Coordinates of all heavy atoms in Angstrom, one line a residue:
E1 N 92.9 87.5 84.1 CA 92.5 87.3 85.5 C 93.6 86.8 86.3 O 93.7 87.2 87.5 CB 91.4 86.2 85.5 CG 90.1 86.6 86.2 CD 89.8 87.9 86.8 OE1 90.2 88.2 87.9 OE2 89.2 88.7 86.1
A2 N 94.5 86.0 85.8 CA 95.6 85.4 86.7 C 96.8 86.4 86.8 O 97.8 86.1 87.5 CB 96.1 84.1 86.1
M3 N 96.8 87.5 86.1 CA 97.9 88.4 86.1 C 97.9 89.3 87.3 O 97.0 90.0 87.6 CB 97.9 89.3 84.8 CG 99.1 90.2 84.7 SD 99.1 91.3 83.2 CE 99.4 90.0 82.0
P4 N 99.0 89.2 88.1 CA 99.0 90.0 89.4 C 99.1 91.5 89.0 O 99.7 91.9 88.0 CB 100.2 89.5 90.1 CG 100.9 88.6 89.2 CD 100.1 88.3 88.0
T5 N 98.7 92.3 90.0 CA 98.8 93.8 89.8 C 100.2 94.2 89.5 O 100.4 95.1 88.7 CB 98.2 94.5 91.0 OG1 96.8 94.0 91.2 CG2 98.2 96.0 90.9
S6 N 101.2 93.6 90.2 CA 102.6 94.0 90.0 C 103.0 93.8 88.6 O 103.8 94.6 88.0 CB 103.5 93.2 91.0 OG 103.4 91.8 90.7
E7 N 102.5 92.7 87.9 CA 102.8 92.5 86.5 C 102.1 93.5 85.6 O 102.7 93.9 84.6 CB 102.5 91.0 86.2 CG 103.1 90.6 84.9 CD 102.9 89.1 84.6 OE1 102.9 88.3 85.6 OE2 102.7 88.7 83.5
I8 N 100.9 93.8 85.9 CA 100.2 94.9 85.1 C 101.0 96.2 85.2 O 101.2 96.9 84.2 CB 98.7 95.0 85.6 CG1 98.0 93.7 85.4 CG2 98.1 96.2 84.9 CD1 96.6 93.7 86.0
I9 N 101.4 96.5 86.4 CA 102.2 97.7 86.6 C 103.5 97.7 85.8 O 103.9 98.7 85.1 CB 102.6 98.0 88.1 CG1 101.3 98.3 88.9 CG2 103.6 99.0 88.3 CD1 101.4 98.4 90.4
A10 N 104.2 96.5 85.7 CA 105.4 96.3 84.9 C 105.1 96.6 83.4 O 105.9 97.2 82.7 CB 106.0 95.0 85.1
K11 N 103.9 96.1 83.0 CA 103.5 96.3 81.6 C 103.2 97.8 81.3 O 103.5 98.3 80.2 CB 102.4 95.4 81.2 CG 102.8 94.0 81.1 CD 101.6 93.1 80.6 CE 102.0 91.7 80.5 NZ 103.0 91.4 79.4
V12 N 102.7 98.5 82.3 CA 102.5 100.0 82.1 C 103.9 100.6 82.0 O 104.2 101.4 81.1 CB 101.7 100.6 83.3 CG1 101.8 102.1 83.3 CG2 100.3 100.1 83.2
A13 N 104.8 100.3 82.9 CA 106.2 100.8 82.9 C 106.9 100.6 81.5 O 107.6 101.4 81.0 CB 107.0 100.3 84.0
A14 N 106.6 99.4 80.9 CA 107.3 99.0 79.7 C 106.6 99.6 78.5 O 107.0 99.5 77.3 CB 107.3 97.5 79.6
G15 N 105.4 100.3 78.7 CA 104.7 100.8 77.6 C 103.7 99.9 76.9 O 103.1 100.2 75.9
E16 N 103.6 98.7 77.4 CA 102.7 97.7 76.8 C 101.2 98.0 77.1 O 100.3 97.7 76.3 CB 103.0 96.3 77.3 CG 104.4 95.8 76.8 CD 104.7 94.4 77.4 OE1 103.8 93.5 77.3 OE2 105.8 94.3 77.9
Y17 N 101.0 98.6 78.3 CA 99.6 99.0 78.7 C 99.7 100.5 78.9 O 100.8 101.0 79.3 CB 99.2 98.4 80.0 CG 98.9 96.9 79.9 CD1 98.8 96.1 81.1 CD2 98.6 96.3 78.7 CE1 98.5 94.8 81.0 CE2 98.3 94.9 78.6 CZ 98.2 94.2 79.8 OH 97.9 92.8 79.7
D18 N 98.6 101.2 78.8 CA 98.6 102.7 78.9 C 98.6 103.1 80.4 O 99.6 103.7 80.9 CB 97.4 103.2 78.2 CG 97.3 104.8 78.2 OD1 98.4 105.4 78.3 OD2 96.2 105.3 77.9
L19 N 97.6 102.7 81.1 CA 97.5 103.0 82.6 C 96.9 101.9 83.3 O 96.3 101.0 82.7 CB 96.5 104.2 82.7 CG 96.9 105.5 82.0 CD1 95.7 106.5 82.0 CD2 98.0 106.2 82.7
T20 N 97.0 101.9 84.6 CA 96.4 100.9 85.5 C 96.0 101.5 86.8 O 96.3 102.7 87.0 CB 97.2 99.6 85.7 OG1 96.4 98.6 86.3 CG2 98.4 99.8 86.6
V21 N 95.4 100.8 87.7 CA 95.1 101.2 89.0 C 95.6 100.2 90.0 O 95.5 99.0 89.7 CB 93.5 101.4 89.2 CG1 93.1 101.7 90.6 CG2 93.0 102.5 88.2
A22 N 96.1 100.6 91.2 CA 96.5 99.7 92.2 C 96.3 100.4 93.6 O 96.3 101.6 93.7 CB 98.0 99.4 92.0
D23 N 96.2 99.6 94.6 CA 96.0 100.1 95.9 C 97.3 100.8 96.3 O 98.4 100.4 95.9 CB 95.8 99.0 96.9 CG 94.3 98.4 96.8 OD1 93.5 99.1 96.3 OD2 94.1 97.3 97.2
S24 N 97.2 101.8 97.1 CA 98.3 102.7 97.5 C 99.4 101.9 98.2 O 100.6 102.2 98.0 CB 97.9 103.8 98.4 OG 97.1 103.3 99.5
N25 N 99.1 100.9 99.0 CA 100.1 100.1 99.6 C 101.0 99.3 98.6 O 102.2 99.2 98.7 CB 99.6 99.2 100.7 CG 98.6 98.1 100.2 OD1 97.9 98.3 99.2 ND2 98.5 97.0 100.9
L26 N 100.3 98.8 97.5 CA 101.0 98.1 96.4 C 101.9 99.1 95.6 O 103.0 98.8 95.2 CB 100.0 97.4 95.5 CG 99.2 96.3 96.2 CD1 98.2 95.7 95.2 CD2 100.1 95.2 96.8
V27 N 101.3 100.3 95.4 CA 102.1 101.3 94.7 C 103.3 101.7 95.5 O 104.4 101.8 94.9 CB 101.2 102.5 94.4 CG1 102.1 103.7 93.8 CG2 100.1 102.2 93.4
D28 N 103.1 101.9 96.8 CA 104.3 102.2 97.7 C 105.4 101.2 97.6 O 106.6 101.5 97.5 CB 103.8 102.4 99.1 CG 103.0 103.7 99.4 OD1 103.0 104.6 98.5 OD2 102.4 103.7 100.4
L29 N 104.9 99.9 97.6 CA 105.9 98.8 97.5 C 106.6 98.8 96.2 O 107.9 98.7 96.1 CB 105.1 97.5 97.6 CG 105.8 96.2 97.7 CD1 106.7 96.2 99.0 CD2 104.9 95.0 97.7
E30 N 105.9 99.1 95.1 CA 106.6 99.1 93.7 C 107.5 100.3 93.7 O 108.6 100.2 93.1 CB 105.5 99.3 92.6 CG 104.7 98.0 92.5 CD 105.4 96.8 91.9 OE1 106.2 97.0 90.9 OE2 105.2 95.7 92.4
L31 N 107.2 101.4 94.3 CA 108.0 102.6 94.2 C 109.3 102.5 95.0 O 110.2 103.3 94.9 CB 107.2 103.9 94.6 CG 106.1 104.3 93.6 CD1 105.3 105.4 94.1 CD2 106.8 104.8 92.3
T32 N 109.3 101.5 95.9 CA 110.6 101.4 96.7 C 111.7 100.9 95.8 O 112.9 101.0 96.2 CB 110.4 100.4 97.9 OG1 110.0 99.1 97.4 CG2 109.4 100.9 98.9
W33 N 111.4 100.3 94.7 CA 112.4 99.7 93.8 C 112.3 100.1 92.4 O 113.2 99.8 91.6 CB 112.5 98.2 94.0 CG 111.3 97.5 93.4 CD1 110.1 97.2 94.0 CD2 111.2 96.9 92.1 NE1 109.3 96.5 93.2 CE2 110.0 96.3 92.0 CE3 112.1 96.8 91.0 CZ2 109.5 95.6 90.9 CZ3 111.7 96.1 89.9 CH2 110.4 95.6 89.8
R34 N 111.3 100.8 92.0 CA 111.1 101.2 90.6 C 111.2 102.7 90.5 O 110.7 103.4 91.4 CB 109.7 100.9 90.0 CG 109.2 99.5 90.2 CD 107.9 99.3 89.4 NE 108.3 99.3 88.0 CZ 108.3 98.2 87.3 NH1 107.9 97.0 87.8 NH2 108.6 98.2 86.0
S35 N 111.7 103.2 89.4 CA 111.7 104.7 89.2 C 111.0 105.0 87.8 O 111.1 106.1 87.4 CB 113.1 105.2 89.2 OG 113.9 104.6 88.2
D36 N 110.4 104.0 87.2 CA 109.8 104.2 85.9 C 108.3 104.4 85.9 O 107.7 104.4 84.9 CB 110.2 103.0 85.0 CG 109.9 101.7 85.6 OD1 109.4 101.6 86.7 OD2 110.2 100.6 84.9
I37 N 107.7 104.5 87.1 CA 106.2 104.7 87.2 C 106.0 105.8 88.2 O 106.9 106.3 88.9 CB 105.5 103.4 87.7 CG1 106.0 103.0 89.1 CG2 105.6 102.3 86.7 CD1 105.1 102.0 89.8
K38 N 104.7 106.3 88.2 CA 104.3 107.2 89.2 C 102.8 107.0 89.5 O 102.1 106.3 88.7 CB 104.5 108.7 88.7 CG 103.7 109.1 87.5 CD 104.0 110.5 87.1 CE 103.2 110.9 85.9 NZ 103.4 112.3 85.5
A39 N 102.3 107.5 90.6 CA 100.9 107.4 90.9 C 100.4 108.9 91.1 O 100.5 109.4 92.2 CB 100.7 106.6 92.2
P40 N 99.9 109.5 90.0 CA 99.6 110.9 90.1 C 98.4 111.3 91.0 O 98.4 112.4 91.5 CB 99.4 111.3 88.6 CG 99.1 110.0 87.9 CD 99.8 108.9 88.7
F41 N 97.4 110.4 91.2 CA 96.3 110.8 92.0 C 95.5 109.6 92.4 O 95.6 108.5 91.8 CB 95.4 111.8 91.3 CG 94.9 111.4 90.0 CD1 93.7 110.7 89.9 CD2 95.5 111.8 88.8 CE1 93.2 110.3 88.6 CE2 95.1 111.5 87.6 CZ 93.9 110.7 87.5
A42 N 94.7 109.7 93.5 CA 93.8 108.7 93.9 C 92.5 108.8 93.2 O 92.1 109.9 92.8 CB 93.6 108.8 95.4
L43 N 91.8 107.7 93.1 CA 90.5 107.7 92.4 C 89.3 108.0 93.3 O 88.2 108.0 92.9 CB 90.3 106.4 91.6 CG 91.3 106.2 90.5 CD1 91.0 104.9 89.8 CD2 91.2 107.3 89.5
G44 N 89.6 108.2 94.6 CA 88.5 108.4 95.5 C 89.0 108.4 96.9 O 90.2 108.5 97.2
E45 N 88.1 108.2 97.9 CA 88.5 108.2 99.3 C 89.1 106.9 99.6 O 88.9 105.9 98.9 CB 87.2 108.4 100.1 CG 86.6 109.8 100.0 CD 87.5 110.9 100.4 OE1 88.1 110.8 101.4 OE2 87.6 111.9 99.6
P46 N 89.9 106.8 100.7 CA 90.5 105.5 101.1 C 89.4 104.5 101.4 O 88.3 104.8 101.8 CB 91.2 105.8 102.4 CG 91.5 107.3 102.3 CD 90.4 107.9 101.6
V47 N 89.7 103.2 101.1 CA 88.8 102.1 101.2 C 89.4 101.1 102.2 O 90.6 101.0 102.4 CB 88.5 101.4 99.9 CG1 87.8 102.3 98.9 CG2 89.8 100.9 99.2
A48 N 88.5 100.3 102.9 CA 88.8 99.4 103.9 C 89.3 98.1 103.2 O 88.8 97.6 102.2 CB 87.7 99.1 104.8

């Protein structure tokens, strides 16, 4: 519960976790400095 989404993403990048989900703004933020992940598709329509 206390693990931030950015840390979960880092564990995906390192191969410790298989996949995760994150809001597009957080993914965009991670992609500005990481080249070891991708966001292949959205799981639905945009949310508020």
